Amino acid sequence: MTQDPNTFTPPDYVRNHVVLPALAFIICIFIIEWFHIDVHLSQWLFHLEGGVDHWPLRQYWLTENVFHVGGRFFIILLGVIIIGFIIASFKQPKLKPYRKGLIFLLLSIATSLILVRLGKTFIHIDCPWDLKMFGGKAEYFSLFSEQPTTPSTGQCFPAGHSSSGYAWVALYFLALAYKREYRWMGLAFGITLGLAFGIAQQLRGAHFLSHDVWSLTLSWFSAASLHYFMFFRSSTSIGVESAVDYPEFRSNS
């Protein structure tokens, strides 16, 4: 029997949204660590900018004012819009079916940012601009290497600014519950926004590539976990045994 394309089984969900992304993340981090891509890429960018004892693009108007400061205000604006729609859903009947999804989106983004903030608080890794090789005073070490004798007080891991972009991969899961044909557009929006913020920060010397990869990973699994408990698990618990067909998807298609 052919399965409805709008449904999928629990093993499908776990394989596609947990196992395969986890394997991709492990492989990516292994390659970055094994080939020292963090350092090589940052050194290449540093010399490409003409850096000697500082990062020339650290305070450049495009990287600092547009992508960093402007990007932060853009994310805040998007958050305010989501909250506005949630509030409106209590007064506008047309928005009521989307209330759960909007709450999911807000919670997923907030969870991603909180996890990254906790990582910065408890995992002390320096920014590239703090390192001796780039004109700073700190010694380089990675998450998996031996730390220097003098403990670092850096708070540059994971990447905070890019996480505010990557957190929007939650749009993929939002579309998965309502309009599955739009899920790749949602994913593209989050990846593109995260890449734009992440590349700008790398050009400023604020982060290594691996910092962004960790932020993307935390954002993805935050969204996948919340989606599972808010949509997928709630659907299977009301009698759908073999495959999930979201009521949100059916009522709004």
Side-chain angles (χ1 to χ4, degrees):
M1 183 175 66
T2 303
Q3 181 176 307
D4 189 326
N6 295 329
T7 67
F8 52 86
T9 62
D12 291 335
Y13 185 87
V14 173
R15 181 187 67 245
N16 295 337
H17 301 99
V18 179
V19 176
L20 292 179
L23 288 175
F25 164 70
I26 292 171
I27 292 171
C28 186
I29 289 297
F30 175 80
I31 291 174
I32 291 173
E33 191 74 15
W34 184 263
F35 292 101
H36 307 289
I37 293 177
D38 274 343
V39 172
H40 293 320
L41 177 59
S42 291
Q43 287 178 329
W44 180 73
L45 291 174
F46 185 73
H47 294 303
L48 184 67
E49 296 174 18
V52 178
D53 58 0
H54 71 284
W55 288 79
L57 296 183
R58 180 172 180 175
Q59 295 180 323
Y60 186 58
W61 69 269
L62 183 62
T63 53
E64 168 65 11
N65 297 332
V66 177
F67 282 99
H68 190 218
V69 178
R72 183 188 306 130
F73 284 117
F74 177 64
I75 295 301
I76 292 173
L77 175 62
L78 291 180
V80 171
I81 291 174
I82 294 175
I83 294 173
F85 274 115
I86 292 174
I87 295 173
S89 70
F90 289 94
K91 297 182 179 181
Q92 298 294 329
K94 290 184 179 180
L95 292 176
K96 185 177 179 180
Y98 300 96
R99 184 189 303 158
K100 183 178 179 180
L102 291 167
I103 293 173
F104 156 77
L105 184 59
L106 185 64
L107 287 176
S108 179
I109 292 170
T111 300
S112 299
L113 297 181
I114 289 172
L115 288 175
V116 169
R117 181 66 260 177
L118 289 174
K120 285 176 170 291
T121 301
F122 294 106
I123 303 174
H124 298 294
I125 292 181
D126 296 294
C127 301
W129 63 41
D130 293 321
L131 303 178
K132 288 181 179 179
M133 68 178 77
F134 301 118
K137 297 180 179 180
E139 297 288 349
Y140 168 77
F141 67 95
S142 72
L143 183 64
F144 300 104
S145 65
E146 185 178 352
Q147 296 192 14
T149 54
T150 303
S152 170
T153 57
Q155 293 192 355
C156 298
F157 178 89
H161 192 54
S162 68
S163 70
S164 66
Y166 286 130
W168 291 88
V169 296
L171 287 171
Y172 169 91
F173 294 95
L174 179 66
L176 200 62
Y178 288 88
K179 294 284 187 179
R180 296 189 69 193
E181 63 267 31
Y182 295 132
R183 66 192 185 278
W184 299 117
M185 292 177 60
L187 180 63
F189 179 81
I191 294 293
T192 301
L193 196 58
L195 276 174
F197 291 170
I199 291 173
Q201 287 295 82
Q202 288 181 48
L203 289 172
R204 296 180 66 234
H207 292 290
F208 287 115
L209 174 63
S210 64
H211 298 185
D212 292 323
V213 174
W214 277 94
S215 292
L216 170 58
T217 302
L218 288 172
S219 297
W220 175 266
F221 285 107
S222 295
S225 300
L226 275 173
H227 178 270
Y228 178 82
F229 287 106
M230 290 185 68
F231 292 101
F232 193 81
R233 189 175 182 181
S234 63
S235 297
T236 58
S237 66
I238 59 176
V240 183
E241 296 180 356
S242 60
V244 175
D245 184 3
Y246 296 112
E248 287 82 4
F249 177 86
R250 285 301 184 194
S251 64
N252 294 283
S253 54

